[in-house]
Amino acid sequence: MADDSTTTITAVFETREAADLAVEHLVQQHGIARSDIFVQSASAKNTSGSAPSGGDVSHDGSARSDAPLDGEIEVSADVNSSMIRAVQRTFGDVGAVRISTG
């Protein structure tokens, strides 16, 4: 009998760019429905991450002063237990600083 239980995997990223990339990999490579993926600030503050990336970088390469770089971004996904290792690996490959399963 196959194990079809669901597990939540959570990863924390320093940049919005890495969090967005993680979501795209989960959807496109693993077939996880977007409705099973959640993105939020890892703290109580509104944030675009803790490091500038993508649109958070000004033309001269420095961080923009209007980007709320006040903390990390958390991505969590509810996945079939058979996908745990693959999703953990994907999170690590795209730059997660912490990954937890539970």
Side-chain angles (χ1 to χ4, degrees):
M1 181 176 200
D3 179 7
D4 60 352
S5 62
T6 300
T7 300
T8 300
I9 302 175
T10 303
V12 176
F13 298 90
E14 291 182 328
T15 66
R16 180 64 188 208
E17 180 179 35
D20 288 344
L21 188 59
V23 170
E24 291 308 311
H25 280 271
L26 295 179
V27 171
Q28 295 176 13
Q29 292 179 349
H30 299 293
I32 298 171
R34 288 187 188 269
S35 59
D36 290 330
I37 303 170
F38 309 92
V39 180
Q40 64 184 14
S41 173
S43 69
K45 294 183 177 184
N46 183 25
T47 186
S48 294
S50 58
S53 69
D56 299 329
V57 179
S58 68
H59 294 290
D60 66 4
S62 62
R64 291 178 25 199
S65 61
D66 62 340
L69 298 175
D70 294 324
E72 299 165 322
I73 298 169
E74 181 180 280
V75 176
S76 60
D78 296 334
V79 302
N80 184 288
S81 293
S82 65
M83 299 178 69
I84 291 173
R85 287 191 183 136
V87 170
Q88 288 172 329
R89 188 171 32 258
T90 295
F91 278 153
D93 289 348
V94 297
V97 293
R98 286 185 305 284
I99 302 169
S100 60
T101 304

